[in-house]
Amino acid sequence: MAQADITQSGDGDTRLDKLTTADGTPLKASIRRAMRRNKLIAFGLAAPLLFFIFFSFLMPIFDMASRSVENHQIPEALPRTVAALETWDGESVPGEAAFEALALDIQEGQRSRTIGQAATRLNYQDAGMRSLIMGTARRSDQLEPPYKEALIEINDDWGDLDVWRLIERESGYYTTSYYLNAIDLTYSDTGEIVAQPEYRQIYVMLFIRTLWMSALITGLALLLGFPVAHLLATLPARHANLLMILVLLPFWTSLLVRTTTWIVVLQTEGVLNDMMVWLGILSDEGRLQMIYNQTGTIVAMTQILLPFMILPLYSVMKGISPSYMRAAKSLGARPPVAFWRVYVPQTIPGMGAGGILVFILAIGYYITPALVGGQSGQLISNYIAYHMQQSLNWGLAAAIGTILLFGVLLLYAGYNRIVGIDNMKLG
Amino acid sequence: MAKFAPYVGRLERTWHYTYLTICGLVFLYLILPIIMIVPLSFNAEPYFTFTEGMLDLDPEAYSTRWYQDFFTSESWLHSIKNSFLIAIAATFIATALGTLAALGLSRPHMPAREAIMSILISPMIVPLIISGAAMFFFYSQINLAQTHLGVILAHAALGTPFVVITVTATLVGFDRSLIRAANNLGANERIVFFRIILPLIAPGVISGALFAFITSFDEVVIVLFLAGYEQRTIPLEMWSGIREQISPTILAVATMLVTLSVILLATLEILRRRSEAQRGMAPS
């Protein structure tokens, strides 16, 4: 180990080359070895956590992303059919060979109980497919050659060209159909990409609503947070610390507690309505519906996210010297002008940091909209949860999730550029 | 109230009071809902609003029945036990791994620091609904869904960024010559860590641990996807309580959780002051 301390010698490399450590190795090589050792130690310290995050967090995320394009159900449950359709021209209903393959696949799928998955999978694309396949599967033991007539006799839909085109289209191990669904597109019967029928177009609207509501919540948080952060930054420390508790306590209070409190305050039999009735502002019948709609989501989420706006704004404002404002005023600027042209521009980094932070948090919010949002206050994450838990269309949930993830990562890259993760402050 | 210089005009004074009023209203918006549930949790009636008796401060209108309800309910006690078990285990993992990683990240020769930091912070950036869905898929395949271990690992992953950030922040002001001095005096790496580094970064480690603890203790989305009946935690119990039938017991729980956050907040404040005093900064 080279313990030699190199002081900056003005003569440069020539002299350094000749220096050796006590055991005779050149100093440069020795330093290089020490550096490599230092790097290894540093990386070695971070390695356990890297490994842990990789296993417990990143692999699940990759797994989800791959699920959004994965399509193993059809090729696994209908292998013969998929093979038979490989040479099919797609112009007319296929011949006996394909029907035979399908009949055998369905018979086997019925025995091994794997046909249901394929039926469900095809049903995402066309809402008659599940009953068509499962109905056929239940009667599959009666199937005998010629299979074409036998299958069409069970259900004439098997004679429908579009059914075969659908099977062929979804026969690969990968599919884009979940992503298309997630942006309200679908394949037409002839295989072109077209808009979903109007009654099924909800996701684009939901993405837009999520963006719009997040922007509104961010704007409201900025509007309410700015004066408070300014007050905290300009008051003498003794008072500011006291008031800071009023910001930090909600920040530290359980999210569910805060959502519950908004239900208590805003519901029709709740505190706010009661108070207004008592004050005579409202009649008992005229109680306001302030919750289980968009208003509920906006009011509750703004309060929940407000500390995330105030804290970065405060730390930026704290660093703005009051002498700039005094200088502006002494040069003749009226207070509003001095504030707008001298103070506000200096707070832009704080507004950017707080704004992006609140926006990122808002577009991924799930709990609060689910509890106080009703129908109109639901955000895109509520539909991810819906497809995870109720409709069980996991591919679609994964596709929507992956799109949302990319949006958040883009925003985060912006945040990182403005603030830098190293400068993130907590509490 | 503010003292104005004699030359300050009436308009400016009026504006100043308007500004203070606005700030006051925002503070009320932030804090009032949280304060309000405290007296409501002592409501003798099963309502979510102040009864006339409460407003008249009639002792009859107040009762601790919802607290009794909590402490005699098997499912609430089961969930409180789970919450503490999961949060403590997750905090332990997150703090140990996070502190090590922060030490590595703060060493002068850390390779690819930015990239590694981004990966380590990622559990904090990704929306919970995505983490929850992803973990559900993955943990189900490896039989970790609906197990305590699965929930603990998931919560530990969520908690590590907080430990990494707070400990890294503490290490920014760390004087590395102390390590050299200790080495010079014959201390090996282990002694240096336990006798020099750890005591000095303790405030950062403890506040990181508190963040990790509260993250797990308050987390509901992941639990919603990953937990079975056996792993039900307090937030999950509250979640289903709010969705199905709201019983005022939830207000008692909420009040206790507010108390918990007051305690945490106070602890953090004490730690912050200690850390600043240690680094020779003037207390702000």
Side-chain angles (χ1 to χ4, degrees):
Chain A
M1 269 304 299
Q3 294 289 350
D5 199 1
I6 342 152
T7 42
Q8 296 283 314
S9 72
D11 298 297
D13 286 347
T14 42
R15 257 176 70 186
L16 266 178
D17 281 338
K18 288 176 197 145
L19 285 178
T20 59
T21 54
D23 58 2
T25 36
L27 186 58
K28 266 192 153 178
S30 193
I31 290 174
R32 216 177 299 128
R33 198 180 317 133
M35 287 271 279
R36 202 162 46 232
R37 187 167 169 270
N38 273 336
K39 273 188 184 171
L40 269 176
I41 293 177
F43 186 78
L45 286 168
L49 182 57
L50 261 178
F51 177 78
F52 176 69
I53 293 294
F54 183 77
F55 168 77
S56 64
F57 186 77
L58 292 181
M59 268 168 65
I61 298 276
F62 291 137
D63 182 55
M64 181 197 74
S66 64
R67 209 171 269 268
S68 64
V69 290
E70 217 169 65
N71 188 48
H72 61 93
Q73 299 96 328
I74 312 294
E76 270 167 23
L78 305 172
R80 298 182 189 84
T81 318
V82 170
L85 287 179
E86 253 165 36
T87 51
W88 179 48
D89 60 1
E91 295 301 318
S92 56
V93 177
E96 175 67 12
F99 276 91
E100 183 182 349
L102 179 72
L104 293 176
D105 281 338
I106 291 183
Q107 278 175 343
E108 194 175 311
Q110 174 73 356
R111 270 196 299 277
S112 61
R113 311 232 157 255
T114 54
I115 195 72
Q117 282 188 24
T120 308
R121 171 67 189 85
L122 287 171
N123 208 56
Y124 295 148
Q125 249 50 60
D126 180 350
M129 290 302 289
R130 192 178 163 80
S131 63
L132 171 62
I133 295 178
M134 295 318 280
T136 310
R138 270 192 296 280
R139 295 167 61 184
S140 61
D141 46 347
Q142 309 162 13
L143 282 173
E144 273 166 22
Y147 287 109
K148 185 164 183 173
E149 273 134 64
L151 278 166
I152 292 176
E153 198 187 304
I154 291 178
N155 194 325
D156 346 319
D157 283 351
W158 289 119
D160 187 348
L161 180 59
D162 296 334
V163 167
W164 288 94
R165 279 179 171 157
L166 174 60
I167 295 176
E168 197 218 5
R169 201 165 55 235
E170 297 298 342
S171 66
Y173 274 95
Y174 295 98
T175 179
T176 52
S177 55
Y178 293 125
Y179 278 102
L180 289 180
N181 275 2
I183 49 173
D184 288 343
L185 297 175
T186 187
Y187 286 109
S188 70
D189 293 338
T190 52
E192 284 144 19
I193 294 173
V194 293
Q196 288 268 22
E198 216 148 296
Y199 69 97
R200 293 188 66 173
Q201 293 183 11
I202 49 169
Y203 299 110
V204 171
M205 185 274 283
L206 269 167
F207 275 115
I208 292 173
R209 183 202 278 169
T210 306
L211 290 176
W212 177 79
M213 278 176 69
S214 304
L216 180 67
I217 288 162
T218 310
L220 283 172
L222 181 60
L223 206 67
L224 299 179
F226 195 95
V228 168
H230 180 255
L231 183 72
L232 288 172
T234 47
L235 273 185
R238 209 158 42 86
H239 301 289
N241 279 350
L242 212 65
L243 287 176
M244 197 56 156
I245 295 173
L246 301 184
V247 179
L248 289 177
L249 183 62
F251 181 75
W252 276 95
T253 301
S254 157
L255 175 64
L256 272 173
V257 169
R258 286 193 277 166
T259 309
T260 314
T261 60
W262 281 113
I263 297 176
V264 171
V265 173
L266 294 181
Q267 63 183 337
T268 36
E269 301 295 320
V271 176
L272 196 58
N273 264 311
D274 271 6
M275 211 166 72
M276 289 198 285
V277 170
W278 183 71
L279 289 172
I281 302 171
L282 294 177
S283 68
D284 204 17
E285 302 79 52
R287 286 165 179 268
L288 293 176
Q289 178 72 37
M290 292 178 285
I291 203 170
Y292 307 124
N293 53 26
Q294 251 179 47
T295 319
T297 304
I298 291 168
V299 171
M301 276 181 63
T302 306
Q303 189 247 6
I304 288 168
L305 295 175
L306 194 49
F308 293 95
M309 178 68 85
I310 294 178
L311 294 173
L313 262 178
Y314 166 79
S315 68
V316 167
M317 287 174 175
K318 197 80 193 150
I320 299 175
S321 161
S323 56
Y324 291 116
M325 280 287 275
R326 281 203 294 270
K329 281 181 194 165
S330 79
L331 289 170
R334 298 190 51 77
V337 178
F339 178 76
W340 183 248
R341 304 237 331 239
V342 175
Y343 192 80
V344 172
Q346 296 183 77
T347 63
I348 285 174
M351 293 200 264
I356 296 186
L357 193 59
V358 170
F359 193 79
I360 289 181
L361 289 170
I363 61 171
Y365 243 57
Y366 166 61
I367 293 295
T368 307
L371 288 176
V372 301
Q375 250 316 307
S376 62
Q378 301 281 298
L379 301 181
I380 195 74
S381 26
N382 300 101
Y383 278 78
I384 298 179
Y386 167 77
H387 287 301
M388 290 290 299
Q389 297 179 313
Q390 262 126 50
S391 85
L392 302 181
N393 188 347
W394 289 352
L396 183 55
I400 301 174
T402 311
I403 295 175
L404 180 62
L405 178 65
F406 267 98
V408 169
L409 289 182
L410 275 180
L411 285 167
Y412 172 66
Y415 177 85
N416 201 8
R417 192 164 270 195
I418 297 179
V419 196
I421 24 174
D422 290 354
N423 296 323
M424 193 176 310
K425 292 227 172 55
L426 299 165
Chain B
M1 277 280 102
K3 291 181 197 70
F4 293 105
Y7 53 81
V8 173
R10 182 179 295 164
L11 192 70
E12 212 169 318
R13 284 172 204 231
T14 320
W15 165 244
H16 187 77
Y17 286 115
T18 319
Y19 160 73
L20 287 182
T21 314
I22 293 171
C23 289
L25 289 175
V26 178
F27 281 123
L28 284 183
Y29 173 59
L30 274 170
I31 206 82
L32 205 59
I34 300 173
I35 305 290
M36 192 142 41
I37 54 160
V38 177
L40 275 178
S41 70
F42 293 99
N43 196 344
E45 306 291 328
Y47 302 137
F48 286 93
T49 187
F50 292 96
T51 56
E52 295 206 3
M54 293 181 90
L55 293 175
D56 297 340
L57 293 179
D58 176 5
E60 293 277 299
Y62 291 88
S63 100
T64 54
R65 61 185 277 205
W66 308 116
Y67 290 85
Q68 283 165 17
D69 197 39
F70 176 86
F71 284 107
T72 51
S73 147
E74 206 163 300
S75 60
W76 278 112
L77 291 180
H78 173 69
S79 65
I80 199 170
K81 215 179 72 193
N82 266 329
S83 272
F84 274 103
L85 176 76
I86 290 169
I88 288 171
T91 304
F92 186 76
I93 299 174
T95 311
L97 295 180
T99 306
L100 272 186
L103 285 170
L105 285 166
S106 325
R107 285 178 78 105
H109 300 292
M110 182 70 191
R113 181 183 282 119
E114 288 254 314
I116 290 176
M117 190 77 173
S118 309
I119 292 175
L120 298 186
I121 299 294
S122 61
M124 196 167 82
I125 310 302
V126 174
L128 281 169
I129 186 79
I130 296 174
S131 311
M135 286 170 166
F136 168 74
F137 291 137
F138 188 72
Y139 286 25
S140 305
Q141 291 167 40
I142 52 174
N143 296 323
L144 276 176
Q146 310 211 345
T147 65
H148 276 87
L149 183 64
V151 179
I152 289 170
L153 290 182
H155 279 187
L158 291 186
T160 50
F162 297 102
V163 181
V164 172
I165 290 176
T166 52
V167 179
T168 314
T170 316
L171 282 167
V172 166
F174 191 80
D175 186 356
R176 296 194 70 84
S177 58
L178 292 175
I179 298 177
R180 281 201 294 275
N183 278 332
N184 245 346
L185 293 168
N188 61 28
E189 297 261 350
R190 213 174 58 90
I191 295 184
V192 169
F193 177 73
F194 283 105
R195 305 258 296 263
I196 310 286
I197 302 179
L198 199 56
L200 283 172
I201 62 170
V205 176
I206 297 172
S207 57
L210 288 179
F211 270 107
F213 180 84
I214 201 80
T215 303
S216 167
F217 202 80
D218 189 30
E219 201 287 319
V220 52
V221 185
I222 305 271
V223 180
L224 208 57
F225 286 112
L226 225 48
Y229 179 76
E230 280 304 307
Q231 290 82 38
R232 285 172 80 87
T233 60
I234 292 204
L236 191 55
E237 202 72 37
M238 281 185 83
W239 162 266
S240 44
I242 299 169
R243 293 206 112 184
E244 283 143 27
Q245 28 86 17
I246 304 196
S247 136
T249 312
I250 287 175
L251 296 190
V253 180
T255 305
M256 289 187 274
L257 288 179
V258 172
T259 317
L260 181 72
S261 40
V262 171
I263 294 170
L264 274 173
L265 183 60
T267 318
L268 272 175
E269 180 61 21
I270 292 166
L271 285 172
R272 195 178 62 84
R273 290 196 182 171
R274 253 198 69 175
S275 166
E276 279 179 357
Q278 263 179 354
R279 286 201 252 155
M281 295 176 188
S284 63

